[in-house]
Amino acid sequence: MHSVELIVDAQAILGEGPIWDERRNLLWWVDIITGKLHAYDPITDAARAIDTEPLFGTVVVRESGGLLGAYHDGFHYLDPETGTRTLISDPESDKPDNRFNDGKCDPQGRLWAGTMAIEGPYSEPKGSLYCLGLDESVERKIDAVTISNGIGWSPDGRWMYYVDSPERTVSRFEFDGKTGEISKPTRVISYPKKGGVPDGLVVDAEGMLWVAQFGGGCVVRWNPENGEKLTEIQLPAKQITACTFGGPGLKDLYITSARVGLSDSELAEQPQAGGLFRVRGAGRGMLANRFGG
């Protein structure tokens, strides 16, 4: 039985994108709607947040120092102390009604992040999945995406996993690390029409997938080889957005959540919604890939 603890009562509107920074021993995560960059230090139990720019979809760590963020207006280098942004590229400058959402770096150091409509309904495929190269070039990898979400790679780098939430599936692509090409998409996990949709994900050291279930109040560990549900962790909040491993030995699972879409009565029933949660000793993760540029 997993024990869930609330470690930061942030009351984030749309908490997302947790990533472990082993050099600083910090967990970074964002509140997309307010544009806050959050940091949590598990050694001191200290939490802080700085304001950047609203509609802050994802954050990753740079190999050369600092951070990189994907926003409503493209990819930016980010100073974690001041929140100052430096534009790299805005591949959707012609789509002001879109914003970037979740993203992660591949084993070769490229950043993959996708877009979605800022306002719903989210039934139309207005987004795309992009790859930012080490030379700062941007390539569209998948078009006609509804809500671009969780992404991760198998421990051997052979497979890339990807979520388009309204499709209620986790797909697996063959991944060529040298070229960054993806091919042969296959559905490996399918969700029923009730109980929430797949959101952010993380791949553990055994190649299993931990997927946050938005609207389902849980994180589920899946075997992507056969679609078997291995573990389900229930949380005291309904809108669970993403998860990652961090802390000593990468054994602790950190989980973000949101308050968006909840009524006053639902918020009264879920006072910890929008918080950062931790499950100690949940499994064994892998170091997060850094942006190599």
Side-chain angles (χ1 to χ4, degrees), residues 225-254:
E225 296 301 321
N226 56 19
E228 179 185 2
K229 180 187 287 190
L230 303 174
T231 305
E232 181 172 321
I233 299 175
Q234 291 288 331
L235 291 115
K238 185 178 180 181
Q239 314 293 47
I240 303 303
T241 55
C243 55
T244 198
F245 284 95
L250 300 173
K251 295 179 181 179
D252 298 336
L253 188 68
Y254 290 90

Side-chain angles (χ1 to χ4, degrees), residues 80-153:
E81 301 303 321
T82 66
T84 302
R85 305 186 306 150
T86 303
L87 178 65
I88 303 169
S89 176
D90 184 2
E92 293 201 345
S93 58
D94 60 335
K95 298 180 180 180
D97 295 331
N98 274 9
R99 66 167 176 84
F100 270 94
N101 199 44
D102 207 356
K104 290 292 183 292
C105 292
D106 66 25
Q108 288 71 34
R110 312 174 190 95
L111 172 60
W112 296 65
T115 58
M116 59 178 285
I118 294 174
E119 300 289 344
Y122 303 108
S123 57
E124 295 183 28
K126 297 181 178 180
S128 299
L129 177 67
Y130 294 92
C131 178
L132 175 67
L134 278 62
D135 60 356
E136 299 184 351
S137 64
V138 179
E139 183 179 356
R140 181 187 284 113
K141 293 293 188 177
I142 304 176
D143 206 355
V145 174
T146 310
I147 298 180
S148 188
N149 235 316
I151 190 166
W153 286 263

Side-chain angles (χ1 to χ4, degrees), residues 1 3 19 55 60 65 140-141 174 192 243 268:
M1 187 72 177
S3 176
I19 187 166
L55 303 183
V60 296
R140 181 187 284 113
K141 293 293 188 177
E174 288 191 8
C243 55

Side-chain angles (χ1 to χ4, degrees), residues 200-223:
L201 67 80
V202 67
V203 185
D204 68 21
E206 296 178 354
M208 302 296 106
L209 310 184
W210 297 74
V211 185
Q213 201 157 321
F214 189 88
C218 62
V219 172
V220 177
R221 186 182 190 231
W222 300 89
N223 184 338

Side-chain angles (χ1 to χ4, degrees), residues 49-97:
I50 64 169
D51 292 319
T52 66
E53 181 75 14
L55 303 183
F56 181 4
T58 195
V59 64
V60 296
V61 180
R62 294 182 64 190
E63 184 65 40
S64 59
L67 305 175
L68 190 158
Y71 290 78
H72 69 290
D73 56 353
F75 298 107
H76 294 253
Y77 293 128
L78 177 63
D79 184 326
E81 301 303 321
T82 66
T84 302
R85 305 186 306 150
T86 303
L87 178 65
I88 303 169
S89 176
D90 184 2
E92 293 201 345
S93 58
D94 60 335
K95 298 180 180 180
D97 295 331

